[in-house]
């Protein structure tokens, strides 16, 4: 089995190495109105990963694949579309970067705050710039009683119990935007956080509200120190 069951309606794809210490993965959210694949799969259309697509097929396929930012683009986007006839969605701000990576693939759904596309019904999508200029996060209240928060690379867990944030300046991220985003995310309530990249093997976390606010406060403090050192 390549997929990992995380919750009643949430499955994690295999870990994919980003570098020596970080990994990435996607999440399949199964829904009566159509499954959503959140983030990218990471692989580059290798034959071995046909098993991942087969398992997703058995779970109902993919209606829409939603990327949180451009770093999640890979040749796997083509494999997903070819297998499932799915639509590819991302923030309208990130379209150029993602479309440029997979030339000719095209973005089917460019999300904006006033987007009312039925494929995204039930997903609370938030503009959360800072890591990149167009990063988005997603909050979903599962009918099974849990709430999931997908933060992309905006704030990610580490195996040692810590957390990481980063400003990708080459992709339009700024410390000022990230600070505003973290302050907004600090007020979010959820049962499970699932990031795109993560340090080590830990891609999900379930902090209490008090723990979550302390986590964000610490990252805000470190971000402000970093920004001041560059001023």
């Amino acid at each position: 089995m390549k997929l990992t069951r995380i919750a009643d309606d949430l499955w994690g794809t295999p870990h994919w190495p980003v570098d020596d210490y970080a990994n990435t993965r996607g999440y399949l959210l199964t829904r009566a109105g159509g499954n959503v694949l959140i983030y990218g799969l990471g692989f580059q259309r290798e034959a071995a990963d046909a098993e991942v697509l087969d398992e997703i097929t058995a779970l109902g396929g993919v209606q829409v694949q939603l990327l949180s930012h451009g770093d999640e683009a890979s040749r796997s986007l083509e494999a997903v579309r070819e297998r499932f006839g799915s639509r590819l969605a991302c923030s309208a701000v990130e379209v150029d970067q993602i479309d440029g990576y997979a030339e000719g693939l095209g973005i089917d759904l460019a999300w904006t705050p006033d987007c009312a596309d039925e494929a995204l019904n039930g997903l609370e999508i938030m503009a959360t710039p800072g890591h990149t200029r167009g990063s988005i996060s997603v909050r979903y209240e599962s009918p099974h009683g849990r709430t999931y928060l997908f933060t992309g690379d905006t704030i990610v867990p580490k195996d040692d119990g810590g957390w990481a944030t980063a400003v990708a300046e080459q992709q339009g991220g700024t410390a000022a935007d990230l600070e505003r985003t973290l302050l907004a995310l600090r007020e979010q309530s959820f049962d499970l956080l699932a990031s795109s990249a993560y340090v080590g093997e830990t891609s999900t976390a379930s902090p209490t509200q008090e723990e979550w606010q302390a986590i964000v406060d610490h990252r805000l403090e470190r971000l402000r120190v970093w920004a001041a050192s560059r001023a």
Side-chain angles (χ1 to χ4, degrees):
M1 188 76 176
K2 291 274 190 172
L3 300 181
T4 301
R5 191 166 199 167
I6 297 170
D8 290 335
D9 53 358
L10 187 66
W11 299 78
T13 67
H15 304 287
W16 184 263
V18 177
D19 50 37
D20 290 340
Y21 63 90
N23 293 300
T24 187
R25 76 191 310 189
Y27 302 88
L28 182 70
L29 184 62
T30 58
R31 310 188 305 164
N35 295 348
V36 179
L37 180 59
I38 299 178
Y39 312 145
L41 296 180
F43 67 81
Q44 305 295 318
R45 301 200 65 179
E46 297 167 349
D49 288 290
E51 289 183 53
V52 176
L53 301 181
D54 289 344
E55 291 179 16
I56 291 174
T57 298
L59 290 168
V62 177
Q63 180 187 54
V64 61
Q65 182 173 12
L66 177 61
L67 306 184
S68 74
H69 69 298
D71 282 348
E72 292 156 9
S74 75
R75 306 312 300 183
S76 69
L77 300 180
E78 296 179 43
V80 171
R81 177 181 282 174
E82 287 174 6
R83 173 66 74 95
F84 304 111
S86 52
R87 299 166 69 195
L88 181 61
C90 69
S91 166
V93 180
E94 298 271 334
V95 166
D96 290 347
Q97 180 182 351
I98 294 170
D99 206 27
Y101 185 93
E103 186 175 352
L105 182 64
I107 303 299
D108 304 293
L109 202 173
W111 177 85
T112 59
D114 60 353
C115 179
D117 195 290
E118 290 185 359
L120 303 180
N121 282 354
L123 301 175
E124 181 186 348
I125 301 177
M126 301 166 279
T128 51
H131 173 63
T132 67
R133 63 192 175 98
S135 290
I136 58 174
S137 296
V138 181
R139 187 175 181 272
Y140 178 72
E141 295 185 8
S142 167
H144 296 278
R146 302 179 75 189
T147 297
Y148 313 136
L149 181 65
F150 301 91
T151 55
D153 286 359
T154 295
I155 182 167
V156 306
K158 300 166 63 177
D159 273 354
D160 63 5
W163 292 73
T165 53
V167 176
E169 293 178 304
Q170 72 279 13
Q171 294 168 255
T174 69
D177 278 345
L178 185 54
E179 179 171 347
R180 284 188 287 270
T181 283
L182 290 175
L183 286 169
L185 289 177
R186 185 182 187 276
E187 304 309 312
Q188 291 292 322
S189 60
F190 57 89
D191 299 298
L192 179 76
L193 180 145
S195 64
S196 176
Y198 42 95
V199 180
E201 298 289 322
T202 303
S203 65
T204 62
S206 297
T208 66
Q209 188 72 14
E210 183 178 1
E211 290 169 339
W212 172 240
Q213 292 186 344
I215 288 164
V216 175
D217 288 344
H218 178 67
R219 296 316 309 163
L220 282 166
E221 179 183 347
R222 299 306 303 158
L223 176 65
R224 289 162 182 159
V225 169
W226 177 84
S229 71
R230 298 169 58 84

